[in-house]
mmCIF file with all atom_site columns, all heavy atoms in Angstrom:
data_model
loop_
_atom_site.group_PDB
_atom_site.id
_atom_site.type_symbol
_atom_site.label_atom_id
_atom_site.label_alt_id
_atom_site.label_comp_id
_atom_site.label_asym_id
_atom_site.label_entity_id
_atom_site.label_seq_id
_atom_site.pdbx_PDB_ins_code
_atom_site.Cartn_x
_atom_site.Cartn_y
_atom_site.Cartn_z
_atom_site.occupancy
_atom_site.B_iso_or_equiv
_atom_site.pdbx_formal_charge
_atom_site.auth_seq_id
_atom_site.auth_comp_id
_atom_site.auth_asym_id
_atom_site.auth_atom_id
_atom_site.pdbx_PDB_model_num
ATOM 1   N N   . VAL A 1 1  ? 14.318 19.796 4.655   1.00 0.00 ? 8  VAL A N   1
ATOM 2   C CA  . VAL A 1 1  ? 15.054 20.841 3.940   1.00 0.00 ? 8  VAL A CA  1
ATOM 3   C C   . VAL A 1 1  ? 14.105 21.615 3.020   1.00 0.00 ? 8  VAL A C   1
ATOM 4   O O   . VAL A 1 1  ? 13.193 21.035 2.455   1.00 0.00 ? 8  VAL A O   1
ATOM 5   C CB  . VAL A 1 1  ? 16.237 20.156 3.144   1.00 0.00 ? 8  VAL A CB  1
ATOM 6   C CG1 . VAL A 1 1  ? 15.674 19.200 2.115   1.00 0.00 ? 8  VAL A CG1 1
ATOM 7   C CG2 . VAL A 1 1  ? 17.058 21.212 2.470   1.00 0.00 ? 8  VAL A CG2 1
ATOM 8   N N   . ILE A 1 2  ? 14.367 22.868 2.960   1.00 0.00 ? 9  ILE A N   1
ATOM 9   C CA  . ILE A 1 2  ? 13.703 23.683 1.983   1.00 0.00 ? 9  ILE A CA  1
ATOM 10  C C   . ILE A 1 2  ? 14.760 24.239 1.011   1.00 0.00 ? 9  ILE A C   1
ATOM 11  O O   . ILE A 1 2  ? 15.739 24.956 1.472   1.00 0.00 ? 9  ILE A O   1
ATOM 12  C CB  . ILE A 1 2  ? 12.931 24.887 2.670   1.00 0.00 ? 9  ILE A CB  1
ATOM 13  C CG1 . ILE A 1 2  ? 11.923 24.348 3.569   1.00 0.00 ? 9  ILE A CG1 1
ATOM 14  C CG2 . ILE A 1 2  ? 12.257 25.806 1.567   1.00 0.00 ? 9  ILE A CG2 1
ATOM 15  C CD1 . ILE A 1 2  ? 11.123 25.438 4.343   1.00 0.00 ? 9  ILE A CD1 1
ATOM 16  N N   . GLU A 1 3  ? 14.652 23.933 -0.233  1.00 0.00 ? 10 GLU A N   1
ATOM 17  C CA  . GLU A 1 3  ? 15.722 24.277 -1.226  1.00 0.00 ? 10 GLU A CA  1
ATOM 18  C C   . GLU A 1 3  ? 15.135 25.378 -2.170  1.00 0.00 ? 10 GLU A C   1
ATOM 19  O O   . GLU A 1 3  ? 13.947 25.469 -2.329  1.00 0.00 ? 10 GLU A O   1
ATOM 20  C CB  . GLU A 1 3  ? 16.124 23.061 -1.981  1.00 0.00 ? 10 GLU A CB  1
ATOM 21  C CG  . GLU A 1 3  ? 16.704 21.950 -1.119  1.00 0.00 ? 10 GLU A CG  1
ATOM 22  C CD  . GLU A 1 3  ? 16.886 20.657 -1.854  1.00 0.00 ? 10 GLU A CD  1
ATOM 23  O OE1 . GLU A 1 3  ? 15.965 19.851 -1.963  1.00 0.00 ? 10 GLU A OE1 1
ATOM 24  O OE2 . GLU A 1 3  ? 17.995 20.419 -2.311  1.00 0.00 ? 10 GLU A OE2 1
ATOM 25  N N   . ARG A 1 4  ? 16.047 26.007 -2.806  1.00 0.00 ? 11 ARG A N   1
ATOM 26  C CA  . ARG A 1 4  ? 15.610 27.016 -3.837  1.00 0.00 ? 11 ARG A CA  1
ATOM 27  C C   . ARG A 1 4  ? 14.811 28.165 -3.271  1.00 0.00 ? 11 ARG A C   1
ATOM 28  O O   . ARG A 1 4  ? 13.878 28.685 -3.909  1.00 0.00 ? 11 ARG A O   1
ATOM 29  C CB  . ARG A 1 4  ? 14.953 26.375 -5.046  1.00 0.00 ? 11 ARG A CB  1
ATOM 30  C CG  . ARG A 1 4  ? 15.813 25.359 -5.716  1.00 0.00 ? 11 ARG A CG  1
ATOM 31  C CD  . ARG A 1 4  ? 14.972 24.541 -6.724  1.00 0.00 ? 11 ARG A CD  1
ATOM 32  N NE  . ARG A 1 4  ? 14.515 25.372 -7.817  1.00 0.00 ? 11 ARG A NE  1
ATOM 33  C CZ  . ARG A 1 4  ? 15.197 25.664 -8.957  1.00 0.00 ? 11 ARG A CZ  1
ATOM 34  N NH1 . ARG A 1 4  ? 16.442 25.304 -9.083  1.00 0.00 ? 11 ARG A NH1 1
ATOM 35  N NH2 . ARG A 1 4  ? 14.632 26.459 -9.887  1.00 0.00 ? 11 ARG A NH2 1
ATOM 36  N N   . ILE A 1 5  ? 15.210 28.550 -2.081  1.00 0.00 ? 12 ILE A N   1
ATOM 37  C CA  . ILE A 1 5  ? 14.533 29.709 -1.420  1.00 0.00 ? 12 ILE A CA  1
ATOM 38  C C   . ILE A 1 5  ? 14.792 30.983 -2.254  1.00 0.00 ? 12 ILE A C   1
ATOM 39  O O   . ILE A 1 5  ? 15.899 31.189 -2.751  1.00 0.00 ? 12 ILE A O   1
ATOM 40  C CB  . ILE A 1 5  ? 15.074 29.961 -0.023  1.00 0.00 ? 12 ILE A CB  1
ATOM 41  C CG1 . ILE A 1 5  ? 14.575 28.800 0.946   1.00 0.00 ? 12 ILE A CG1 1
ATOM 42  C CG2 . ILE A 1 5  ? 14.498 31.262 0.615   1.00 0.00 ? 12 ILE A CG2 1
ATOM 43  C CD1 . ILE A 1 5  ? 15.253 28.757 2.315   1.00 0.00 ? 12 ILE A CD1 1
ATOM 44  N N   . GLY A 1 6  ? 13.695 31.772 -2.510  1.00 0.00 ? 13 GLY A N   1
ATOM 45  C CA  . GLY A 1 6  ? 13.833 32.925 -3.334  1.00 0.00 ? 13 GLY A CA  1
ATOM 46  C C   . GLY A 1 6  ? 13.358 32.710 -4.736  1.00 0.00 ? 13 GLY A C   1
ATOM 47  O O   . GLY A 1 6  ? 13.402 33.630 -5.570  1.00 0.00 ? 13 GLY A O   1
ATOM 48  N N   . MET A 1 7  ? 12.830 31.468 -4.997  1.00 0.00 ? 14 MET A N   1
ATOM 49  C CA  . MET A 1 7  ? 12.383 31.169 -6.354  1.00 0.00 ? 14 MET A CA  1
ATOM 50  C C   . MET A 1 7  ? 10.929 30.669 -6.325  1.00 0.00 ? 14 MET A C   1
ATOM 51  O O   . MET A 1 7  ? 10.437 30.401 -5.262  1.00 0.00 ? 14 MET A O   1
ATOM 52  C CB  . MET A 1 7  ? 13.278 30.066 -7.010  1.00 0.00 ? 14 MET A CB  1
ATOM 53  C CG  . MET A 1 7  ? 14.767 30.490 -7.059  1.00 0.00 ? 14 MET A CG  1
ATOM 54  S SD  . MET A 1 7  ? 15.854 29.333 -7.925  1.00 0.00 ? 14 MET A SD  1
ATOM 55  C CE  . MET A 1 7  ? 15.372 29.741 -9.593  1.00 0.00 ? 14 MET A CE  1
ATOM 56  N N   . ASP A 1 8  ? 10.340 30.595 -7.482  1.00 0.00 ? 15 ASP A N   1
ATOM 57  C CA  . ASP A 1 8  ? 8.881  30.171 -7.561  1.00 0.00 ? 15 ASP A CA  1
ATOM 58  C C   . ASP A 1 8  ? 8.728  28.688 -7.443  1.00 0.00 ? 15 ASP A C   1
ATOM 59  O O   . ASP A 1 8  ? 7.620  28.186 -7.338  1.00 0.00 ? 15 ASP A O   1
ATOM 60  C CB  . ASP A 1 8  ? 8.315  30.617 -8.856  1.00 0.00 ? 15 ASP A CB  1
ATOM 61  C CG  . ASP A 1 8  ? 8.170  32.197 -8.970  1.00 0.00 ? 15 ASP A CG  1
ATOM 62  O OD1 . ASP A 1 8  ? 8.091  32.752 -7.846  1.00 0.00 ? 15 ASP A OD1 1
ATOM 63  O OD2 . ASP A 1 8  ? 8.136  32.743 -10.074 1.00 0.00 ? 15 ASP A OD2 1
ATOM 64  N N   . ASP A 1 9  ? 9.867  27.942 -7.542  1.00 0.00 ? 16 ASP A N   1
ATOM 65  C CA  . ASP A 1 9  ? 9.697  26.473 -7.439  1.00 0.00 ? 16 ASP A CA  1
ATOM 66  C C   . ASP A 1 9  ? 10.610 25.875 -6.327  1.00 0.00 ? 16 ASP A C   1
ATOM 67  O O   . ASP A 1 9  ? 11.351 24.965 -6.493  1.00 0.00 ? 16 ASP A O   1
ATOM 68  C CB  . ASP A 1 9  ? 10.108 25.818 -8.780  1.00 0.00 ? 16 ASP A CB  1
ATOM 69  C CG  . ASP A 1 9  ? 11.475 26.203 -9.269  1.00 0.00 ? 16 ASP A CG  1
ATOM 70  O OD1 . ASP A 1 9  ? 12.076 27.149 -8.671  1.00 0.00 ? 16 ASP A OD1 1
ATOM 71  O OD2 . ASP A 1 9  ? 12.012 25.568 -10.214 1.00 0.00 ? 16 ASP A OD2 1
ATOM 72  N N   . ALA A 1 10 ? 10.479 26.545 -5.154  1.00 0.00 ? 17 ALA A N   1
ATOM 73  C CA  . ALA A 1 10 ? 11.185 26.019 -3.945  1.00 0.00 ? 17 ALA A CA  1
ATOM 74  C C   . ALA A 1 10 ? 10.682 24.644 -3.624  1.00 0.00 ? 17 ALA A C   1
ATOM 75  O O   . ALA A 1 10 ? 9.462  24.349 -3.776  1.00 0.00 ? 17 ALA A O   1
ATOM 76  C CB  . ALA A 1 10 ? 10.990 27.002 -2.792  1.00 0.00 ? 17 ALA A CB  1
ATOM 77  N N   . ILE A 1 11 ? 11.606 23.806 -3.177  1.00 0.00 ? 18 ILE A N   1
ATOM 78  C CA  . ILE A 1 11 ? 11.224 22.409 -2.887  1.00 0.00 ? 18 ILE A CA  1
ATOM 79  C C   . ILE A 1 11 ? 11.238 22.136 -1.392  1.00 0.00 ? 18 ILE A C   1
ATOM 80  O O   . ILE A 1 11 ? 12.277 22.431 -0.722  1.00 0.00 ? 18 ILE A O   1
ATOM 81  C CB  . ILE A 1 11 ? 12.209 21.463 -3.580  1.00 0.00 ? 18 ILE A CB  1
ATOM 82  C CG1 . ILE A 1 11 ? 12.198 21.646 -5.049  1.00 0.00 ? 18 ILE A CG1 1
ATOM 83  C CG2 . ILE A 1 11 ? 11.869 19.998 -3.302  1.00 0.00 ? 18 ILE A CG2 1
ATOM 84  C CD1 . ILE A 1 11 ? 13.271 20.961 -5.832  1.00 0.00 ? 18 ILE A CD1 1
ATOM 85  N N   . VAL A 1 12 ? 10.136 21.687 -0.786  1.00 0.00 ? 19 VAL A N   1
ATOM 86  C CA  . VAL A 1 12 ? 10.064 21.430 0.627   1.00 0.00 ? 19 VAL A CA  1
ATOM 87  C C   . VAL A 1 12 ? 9.960  19.882 0.845   1.00 0.00 ? 19 VAL A C   1
ATOM 88  O O   . VAL A 1 12 ? 9.183  19.222 0.240   1.00 0.00 ? 19 VAL A O   1
ATOM 89  C CB  . VAL A 1 12 ? 8.831  22.088 1.228   1.00 0.00 ? 19 VAL A CB  1
ATOM 90  C CG1 . VAL A 1 12 ? 8.718  21.855 2.705   1.00 0.00 ? 19 VAL A CG1 1
ATOM 91  C CG2 . VAL A 1 12 ? 8.827  23.589 0.961   1.00 0.00 ? 19 VAL A CG2 1
ATOM 92  N N   . THR A 1 13 ? 10.837 19.380 1.718   1.00 0.00 ? 20 THR A N   1
ATOM 93  C CA  . THR A 1 13 ? 10.781 17.953 2.059   1.00 0.00 ? 20 THR A CA  1
ATOM 94  C C   . THR A 1 13 ? 10.854 17.813 3.602   1.00 0.00 ? 20 THR A C   1
ATOM 95  O O   . THR A 1 13 ? 11.803 18.413 4.206   1.00 0.00 ? 20 THR A O   1
ATOM 96  C CB  . THR A 1 13 ? 11.959 17.194 1.519   1.00 0.00 ? 20 THR A CB  1
ATOM 97  O OG1 . THR A 1 13 ? 12.007 17.415 -0.004  1.00 0.00 ? 20 THR A OG1 1
ATOM 98  C CG2 . THR A 1 13 ? 11.790 15.699 1.743   1.00 0.00 ? 20 THR A CG2 1
ATOM 99  N N   . ILE A 1 14 ? 9.908  17.193 4.190   1.00 0.00 ? 21 ILE A N   1
ATOM 100 C CA  . ILE A 1 14 ? 9.889  16.924 5.619   1.00 0.00 ? 21 ILE A CA  1
ATOM 101 C C   . ILE A 1 14 ? 9.705  15.419 5.870   1.00 0.00 ? 21 ILE A C   1
ATOM 102 O O   . ILE A 1 14 ? 8.674  14.920 5.444   1.00 0.00 ? 21 ILE A O   1
ATOM 103 C CB  . ILE A 1 14 ? 8.793  17.761 6.347   1.00 0.00 ? 21 ILE A CB  1
ATOM 104 C CG1 . ILE A 1 14 ? 9.031  19.281 6.124   1.00 0.00 ? 21 ILE A CG1 1
ATOM 105 C CG2 . ILE A 1 14 ? 8.805  17.399 7.854   1.00 0.00 ? 21 ILE A CG2 1
ATOM 106 C CD1 . ILE A 1 14 ? 7.872  20.108 6.723   1.00 0.00 ? 21 ILE A CD1 1
ATOM 107 N N   . LYS A 1 15 ? 10.593 14.787 6.570   1.00 0.00 ? 22 LYS A N   1
ATOM 108 C CA  . LYS A 1 15 ? 10.470 13.408 6.933   1.00 0.00 ? 22 LYS A CA  1
ATOM 109 C C   . LYS A 1 15 ? 10.157 13.322 8.455   1.00 0.00 ? 22 LYS A C   1
ATOM 110 O O   . LYS A 1 15 ? 10.715 13.977 9.234   1.00 0.00 ? 22 LYS A O   1
ATOM 111 C CB  . LYS A 1 15 ? 11.789 12.662 6.638   1.00 0.00 ? 22 LYS A CB  1
ATOM 112 C CG  . LYS A 1 15 ? 12.261 12.627 5.182   1.00 0.00 ? 22 LYS A CG  1
ATOM 113 C CD  . LYS A 1 15 ? 13.560 11.915 5.102   1.00 0.00 ? 22 LYS A CD  1
ATOM 114 C CE  . LYS A 1 15 ? 14.080 11.995 3.641   1.00 0.00 ? 22 LYS A CE  1
ATOM 115 N NZ  . LYS A 1 15 ? 15.383 11.303 3.454   1.00 0.00 ? 22 LYS A NZ  1
ATOM 116 N N   . TYR A 1 16 ? 9.144  12.496 8.752   1.00 0.00 ? 23 TYR A N   1
ATOM 117 C CA  . TYR A 1 16 ? 8.807  12.335 10.166  1.00 0.00 ? 23 TYR A CA  1
ATOM 118 C C   . TYR A 1 16 ? 8.187  10.970 10.388  1.00 0.00 ? 23 TYR A C   1
ATOM 119 O O   . TYR A 1 16 ? 7.992  10.173 9.464   1.00 0.00 ? 23 TYR A O   1
ATOM 120 C CB  . TYR A 1 16 ? 7.792  13.458 10.545  1.00 0.00 ? 23 TYR A CB  1
ATOM 121 C CG  . TYR A 1 16 ? 6.432  13.415 9.749   1.00 0.00 ? 23 TYR A CG  1
ATOM 122 C CD1 . TYR A 1 16 ? 5.296  12.967 10.390  1.00 0.00 ? 23 TYR A CD1 1
ATOM 123 C CD2 . TYR A 1 16 ? 6.376  13.797 8.446   1.00 0.00 ? 23 TYR A CD2 1
ATOM 124 C CE1 . TYR A 1 16 ? 4.140  12.932 9.676   1.00 0.00 ? 23 TYR A CE1 1
ATOM 125 C CE2 . TYR A 1 16 ? 5.190  13.751 7.689   1.00 0.00 ? 23 TYR A CE2 1
ATOM 126 C CZ  . TYR A 1 16 ? 4.024  13.343 8.348   1.00 0.00 ? 23 TYR A CZ  1
ATOM 127 O OH  . TYR A 1 16 ? 2.875  13.316 7.643   1.00 0.00 ? 23 TYR A OH  1
ATOM 128 N N   . GLY A 1 17 ? 7.908  10.667 11.672  1.00 0.00 ? 24 GLY A N   1
ATOM 129 C CA  . GLY A 1 17 ? 7.394  9.310  11.992  1.00 0.00 ? 24 GLY A CA  1
ATOM 130 C C   . GLY A 1 17 ? 8.496  8.461  12.583  1.00 0.00 ? 24 GLY A C   1
ATOM 131 O O   . GLY A 1 17 ? 9.575  8.907  12.961  1.00 0.00 ? 24 GLY A O   1
ATOM 132 N N   . ALA A 1 18 ? 8.243  7.154  12.614  1.00 0.00 ? 25 ALA A N   1
ATOM 133 C CA  . ALA A 1 18 ? 9.174  6.218  13.315  1.00 0.00 ? 25 ALA A CA  1
ATOM 134 C C   . ALA A 1 18 ? 10.466 6.149  12.521  1.00 0.00 ? 25 ALA A C   1
ATOM 135 O O   . ALA A 1 18 ? 10.506 6.138  11.297  1.00 0.00 ? 25 ALA A O   1
ATOM 136 C CB  . ALA A 1 18 ? 8.516  4.834  13.365  1.00 0.00 ? 25 ALA A CB  1
ATOM 137 N N   . ASP A 1 19 ? 11.519 5.973  13.337  1.00 0.00 ? 26 ASP A N   1
ATOM 138 C CA  . ASP A 1 19 ? 12.874 5.753  12.706  1.00 0.00 ? 26 ASP A CA  1
ATOM 139 C C   . ASP A 1 19 ? 13.247 6.770  11.640  1.00 0.00 ? 26 ASP A C   1
ATOM 140 O O   . ASP A 1 19 ? 13.735 6.373  10.586  1.00 0.00 ? 26 ASP A O   1
ATOM 141 C CB  . ASP A 1 19 ? 12.936 4.342  12.178  1.00 0.00 ? 26 ASP A CB  1
ATOM 142 C CG  . ASP A 1 19 ? 12.686 3.285  13.172  1.00 0.00 ? 26 ASP A CG  1
ATOM 143 O OD1 . ASP A 1 19 ? 13.113 3.489  14.380  1.00 0.00 ? 26 ASP A OD1 1
ATOM 144 O OD2 . ASP A 1 19 ? 12.018 2.308  12.860  1.00 0.00 ? 26 ASP A OD2 1
ATOM 145 N N   . VAL A 1 20 ? 12.958 8.038  11.909  1.00 0.00 ? 27 VAL A N   1
ATOM 146 C CA  . VAL A 1 20 ? 13.217 9.078  10.874  1.00 0.00 ? 27 VAL A CA  1
ATOM 147 C C   . VAL A 1 20 ? 14.616 9.034  10.313  1.00 0.00 ? 27 VAL A C   1
ATOM 148 O O   . VAL A 1 20 ? 14.805 9.065  9.108   1.00 0.00 ? 27 VAL A O   1
ATOM 149 C CB  . VAL A 1 20 ? 12.911 10.470 11.463  1.00 0.00 ? 27 VAL A CB  1
ATOM 150 C CG1 . VAL A 1 20 ? 13.350 11.594 10.582  1.00 0.00 ? 27 VAL A CG1 1
ATOM 151 C CG2 . VAL A 1 20 ? 11.398 10.627 11.783  1.00 0.00 ? 27 VAL A CG2 1
ATOM 152 N N   . GLN A 1 21 ? 15.565 8.929  11.249  1.00 0.00 ? 28 GLN A N   1
ATOM 153 C CA  . GLN A 1 21 ? 16.929 9.093  10.784  1.00 0.00 ? 28 GLN A CA  1
ATOM 154 C C   . GLN A 1 21 ? 17.398 7.936  9.829   1.00 0.00 ? 28 GLN A C   1
ATOM 155 O O   . GLN A 1 21 ? 18.220 8.192  8.947   1.00 0.00 ? 28 GLN A O   1
ATOM 156 C CB  . GLN A 1 21 ? 17.890 9.063  11.981  1.00 0.00 ? 28 GLN A CB  1
ATOM 157 C CG  . GLN A 1 21 ? 19.079 9.916  11.740  1.00 0.00 ? 28 GLN A CG  1
ATOM 158 C CD  . GLN A 1 21 ? 19.693 10.408 13.062  1.00 0.00 ? 28 GLN A CD  1
ATOM 159 O OE1 . GLN A 1 21 ? 19.254 10.066 14.120  1.00 0.00 ? 28 GLN A OE1 1
ATOM 160 N NE2 . GLN A 1 21 ? 20.788 11.179 12.969  1.00 0.00 ? 28 GLN A NE2 1
ATOM 161 N N   . GLY A 1 22 ? 16.851 6.739  9.997   1.00 0.00 ? 29 GLY A N   1
ATOM 162 C CA  . GLY A 1 22 ? 17.238 5.678  9.140   1.00 0.00 ? 29 GLY A CA  1
ATOM 163 C C   . GLY A 1 22 ? 16.253 5.339  8.071   1.00 0.00 ? 29 GLY A C   1
ATOM 164 O O   . GLY A 1 22 ? 16.438 4.349  7.310   1.00 0.00 ? 29 GLY A O   1
ATOM 165 N N   . GLU A 1 23 ? 15.245 6.138  7.928   1.00 0.00 ? 30 GLU A N   1
ATOM 166 C CA  . GLU A 1 23 ? 14.172 5.793  6.914   1.00 0.00 ? 30 GLU A CA  1
ATOM 167 C C   . GLU A 1 23 ? 14.581 5.975  5.498   1.00 0.00 ? 30 GLU A C   1
ATOM 168 O O   . GLU A 1 23 ? 15.360 6.973  5.176   1.00 0.00 ? 30 GLU A O   1
ATOM 169 C CB  . GLU A 1 23 ? 12.970 6.711  7.121   1.00 0.00 ? 30 GLU A CB  1
ATOM 170 C CG  . GLU A 1 23 ? 12.126 6.160  8.301   1.00 0.00 ? 30 GLU A CG  1
ATOM 171 C CD  . GLU A 1 23 ? 11.485 4.902  8.113   1.00 0.00 ? 30 GLU A CD  1
ATOM 172 O OE1 . GLU A 1 23 ? 10.813 4.691  7.012   1.00 0.00 ? 30 GLU A OE1 1
ATOM 173 O OE2 . GLU A 1 23 ? 11.528 4.060  8.999   1.00 0.00 ? 30 GLU A OE2 1
ATOM 174 N N   . ARG A 1 24 ? 14.285 5.083  4.668   1.00 0.00 ? 31 ARG A N   1
ATOM 175 C CA  . ARG A 1 24 ? 14.389 5.185  3.183   1.00 0.00 ? 31 ARG A CA  1
ATOM 176 C C   . ARG A 1 24 ? 13.022 5.429  2.675   1.00 0.00 ? 31 ARG A C   1
ATOM 177 O O   . ARG A 1 24 ? 12.221 4.537  2.556   1.00 0.00 ? 31 ARG A O   1
ATOM 178 C CB  . ARG A 1 24 ? 15.055 3.998  2.503   1.00 0.00 ? 31 ARG A CB  1
ATOM 179 C CG  . ARG A 1 24 ? 15.349 4.199  1.031   1.00 0.00 ? 31 ARG A CG  1
ATOM 180 C CD  . ARG A 1 24 ? 16.068 3.069  0.467   1.00 0.00 ? 31 ARG A CD  1
ATOM 181 N NE  . ARG A 1 24 ? 16.400 3.317  -0.929  1.00 0.00 ? 31 ARG A NE  1
ATOM 182 C CZ  . ARG A 1 24 ? 15.583 3.015  -1.943  1.00 0.00 ? 31 ARG A CZ  1
ATOM 183 N NH1 . ARG A 1 24 ? 14.440 2.423  -1.661  1.00 0.00 ? 31 ARG A NH1 1
ATOM 184 N NH2 . ARG A 1 24 ? 15.965 3.221  -3.198  1.00 0.00 ? 31 ARG A NH2 1
ATOM 185 N N   . LEU A 1 25 ? 12.679 6.717  2.333   1.00 0.00 ? 32 LEU A N   1
ATOM 186 C CA  . LEU A 1 25 ? 11.324 7.064  1.937   1.00 0.00 ? 32 LEU A CA  1
ATOM 187 C C   . LEU A 1 25 ? 11.102 7.048  0.432   1.00 0.00 ? 32 LEU A C   1
ATOM 188 O O   . LEU A 1 25 ? 12.085 7.410  -0.288  1.00 0.00 ? 32 LEU A O   1
ATOM 189 C CB  . LEU A 1 25 ? 11.016 8.412  2.540   1.00 0.00 ? 32 LEU A CB  1
ATOM 190 C CG  . LEU A 1 25 ? 10.963 8.370  4.098   1.00 0.00 ? 32 LEU A CG  1
ATOM 191 C CD1 . LEU A 1 25 ? 11.548 9.633  4.658   1.00 0.00 ? 32 LEU A CD1 1
ATOM 192 C CD2 . LEU A 1 25 ? 9.563  8.147  4.585   1.00 0.00 ? 32 LEU A CD2 1
ATOM 193 N N   . ILE A 1 26 ? 9.949  6.730  0.015   1.00 0.00 ? 33 ILE A N   1
ATOM 194 C CA  . ILE A 1 26 ? 9.747  6.641  -1.477  1.00 0.00 ? 33 ILE A CA  1
ATOM 195 C C   . ILE A 1 26 ? 8.586  7.507  -1.869  1.00 0.00 ? 33 ILE A C   1
ATOM 196 O O   . ILE A 1 26 ? 7.731  7.887  -1.061  1.00 0.00 ? 33 ILE A O   1
ATOM 197 C CB  . ILE A 1 26 ? 9.424  5.191  -1.897  1.00 0.00 ? 33 ILE A CB  1
ATOM 198 C CG1 . ILE A 1 26 ? 8.232  4.605  -1.108  1.00 0.00 ? 33 ILE A CG1 1
ATOM 199 C CG2 . ILE A 1 26 ? 10.647 4.305  -1.692  1.00 0.00 ? 33 ILE A CG2 1
ATOM 200 C CD1 . ILE A 1 26 ? 7.741  3.280  -1.582  1.00 0.00 ? 33 ILE A CD1 1
ATOM 201 N N   . GLY A 1 27 ? 8.447  7.889  -3.105  1.00 0.00 ? 34 GLY A N   1
ATOM 202 C CA  . GLY A 1 27 ? 7.367  8.702  -3.596  1.00 0.00 ? 34 GLY A CA  1
ATOM 203 C C   . GLY A 1 27 ? 7.841  9.470  -4.824  1.00 0.00 ? 34 GLY A C   1
ATOM 204 O O   . GLY A 1 27 ? 9.011  9.501  -5.187  1.00 0.00 ? 34 GLY A O   1
ATOM 205 N N   . HIS A 1 28 ? 6.877  10.073 -5.465  1.00 0.00 ? 35 HIS A N   1
ATOM 206 C CA  . HIS A 1 28 ? 7.153  10.881 -6.714  1.00 0.00 ? 35 HIS A CA  1
ATOM 207 C C   . HIS A 1 28 ? 6.568  12.192 -6.594  1.00 0.00 ? 35 HIS A C   1
ATOM 208 O O   . HIS A 1 28 ? 5.403  12.343 -6.178  1.00 0.00 ? 35 HIS A O   1
ATOM 209 C CB  . HIS A 1 28 ? 6.625  10.132 -7.973  1.00 0.00 ? 35 HIS A CB  1
ATOM 210 C CG  . HIS A 1 28 ? 6.988  10.847 -9.218  1.00 0.00 ? 35 HIS A CG  1
ATOM 211 N ND1 . HIS A 1 28 ? 8.232  11.021 -9.720  1.00 0.00 ? 35 HIS A ND1 1
ATOM 212 C CD2 . HIS A 1 28 ? 6.128  11.517 -10.121 1.00 0.00 ? 35 HIS A CD2 1
ATOM 213 C CE1 . HIS A 1 28 ? 8.192  11.686 -10.809 1.00 0.00 ? 35 HIS A CE1 1
ATOM 214 N NE2 . HIS A 1 28 ? 6.886  11.976 -11.116 1.00 0.00 ? 35 HIS A NE2 1
ATOM 215 N N   . LEU A 1 29 ? 7.343  13.303 -6.883  1.00 0.00 ? 36 LEU A N   1
ATOM 216 C CA  . LEU A 1 29 ? 6.869  14.653 -6.683  1.00 0.00 ? 36 LEU A CA  1
ATOM 217 C C   . LEU A 1 29 ? 6.706  15.346 -8.021  1.00 0.00 ? 36 LEU A C   1
ATOM 218 O O   . LEU A 1 29 ? 7.618  15.394 -8.831  1.00 0.00 ? 36 LEU A O   1
ATOM 219 C CB  . LEU A 1 29 ? 7.927  15.448 -5.831  1.00 0.00 ? 36 LEU A CB  1
ATOM 220 C CG  . LEU A 1 29 ? 7.606  16.890 -5.592  1.00 0.00 ? 36 LEU A CG  1
ATOM 221 C CD1 . LEU A 1 29 ? 6.388  17.016 -4.722  1.00 0.00 ? 36 LEU A CD1 1
ATOM 222 C CD2 . LEU A 1 29 ? 8.795  17.526 -4.860  1.00 0.00 ? 36 LEU A CD2 1
#
């Protein structure tokens, strides 16, 4: 998903790799 289109702080998130649909991904942005 790309959120806040039209702004200077749009947020892009792309999940990929094995078991994408069921993945619980972690990290800090």
Side-chain angles (χ1 to χ4, degrees):
V8 60
I9 301 178
E10 303 170 273
R11 298 171 64 85
I12 294 173
M14 304 186 75
D15 291 336
D16 57 349
I18 302 170
V19 181
T20 306
I21 300 174
K22 300 178 183 179
Y23 63 105
D26 303 321
V27 170
Q28 213 158 0
E30 283 293 312
R31 184 174 183 271
L32 296 142
I33 58 174
H35 182 64
L36 179 64

